[in-house]
């Protein structure tokens, strides 16, 4: 199997962004969107994405985003802050700045970067997991009630 295809599919499942996934898989940033869309049009790619999604079941877009905010790496943002000058566009396009909420230049030539709150992301993940487990319990109860006989007949487990 083509490593670039596999990498793209893995990144796409985790990131949900065609361009970013294509760049991380090694495609040129100038044609990343077009290459990513071309891959997504193929049956082989869609089947592989489906297999990967099944393997990492429980990762939906919201929880994936929250996990990236909560556990994401900030080294690219630190690189940007300490760079002597602004990196070229092709370098910037490969930086992972997902967990950055704001970037601004301050007087005196510095750069200020604000990150999303990791604790809030963790709290939301915790709430989602509790809600999902509560929904599973409610679903199990409904299934159990639906499986019982309404005409008074006994049933065996």
């Amino acid at each position: 199997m083509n490593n670039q295809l596999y990498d793209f599919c893995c990144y796409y499942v985790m990131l949900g962004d065609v361009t970013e996934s294509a760049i991380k898989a090694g495609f040129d940033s100038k044609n990343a969107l077009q290459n990513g869309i071309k891959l997504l049009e193929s049956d082989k790619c869609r089947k592989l994405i489906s297999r990967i999604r099944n393997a990492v079941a429980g990762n939906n877009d919201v929880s994936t985003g929250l996990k990236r905010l909560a556990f994401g790496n900030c080294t690219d943002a630190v690189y940007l802050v300490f760079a002597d000058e602004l990196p070229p566009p092709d370098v910037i396009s490969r930086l992972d700045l997902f967990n950055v909420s704001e970037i601004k230049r301050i007087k005196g030539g510095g750069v200020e970067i604000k990150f999303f709150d990791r604790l809030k992301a963790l709290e939301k993940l915790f709430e989602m997991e509790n809600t999902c487990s509560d929904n599973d319990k409610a679903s199990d109860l409904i299934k159990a009630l639906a499986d019982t006989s309404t005409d008074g007949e006994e049933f065996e487990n």
Side-chain angles (χ1 to χ4, degrees):
M1 176 184 302
N2 181 350
N3 282 342
Q4 212 170 24
L5 169 67
Y6 185 78
D7 289 348
F8 171 80
C9 293
C10 288
Y11 283 121
Y12 185 74
V13 167
M14 297 311 292
L15 304 173
D17 182 274
V18 176
T19 304
E20 187 178 1
S21 300
I23 291 169
K24 287 192 175 286
F27 289 94
D28 180 30
S29 60
K30 293 177 185 172
N31 301 321
L33 178 62
Q34 294 86 345
N35 286 325
I37 290 172
K38 189 174 182 178
L39 286 174
L40 286 174
E41 289 174 341
S42 76
D43 285 338
K44 185 176 184 179
C45 182
R46 288 195 305 271
K47 287 176 183 176
L48 181 55
I49 288 171
S50 179
R51 270 191 17 230
I52 295 168
R53 279 190 174 141
N54 287 337
V56 291
N59 278 352
N60 62 39
D61 292 340
V62 174
S63 69
T64 299
L66 288 171
K67 286 176 186 174
R68 284 184 74 192
L69 290 177
F71 306 113
N73 196 331
C74 65
T75 54
D76 286 346
V78 172
Y79 161 75
L80 196 58
V81 168
F82 289 106
D84 291 332
E85 55 187 53
L86 190 63
D90 64 316
V91 172
I92 292 174
S93 69
R94 290 191 305 267
L95 297 178
D96 181 3
L97 301 174
F98 186 82
N99 54 2
V100 173
S101 66
E102 184 180 337
I103 300 176
K104 65 180 175 180
R105 287 193 183 269
I106 55 175
K107 292 181 182 175
V111 176
E112 180 180 312
I113 295 183
K114 293 183 182 179
F115 295 93
F116 287 104
D117 189 334
R118 290 178 186 261
L119 266 174
K120 284 185 183 177
L122 284 170
E123 288 171 1
K124 292 298 179 188
L125 277 169
F126 180 74
E127 288 174 16
M128 281 181 63
E129 287 188 19
N130 282 339
T131 301
C132 289
S133 67
D134 290 346
N135 286 343
D136 290 341
K137 290 176 187 173
S139 176
D140 291 344
L141 176 62
I142 290 170
K143 285 179 186 175
L145 291 173
D147 287 343
T148 61
S149 176
T150 57
D151 60 359
E153 295 178 11
E154 292 185 17
F155 63 96
E156 293 182 14
N157 284 335

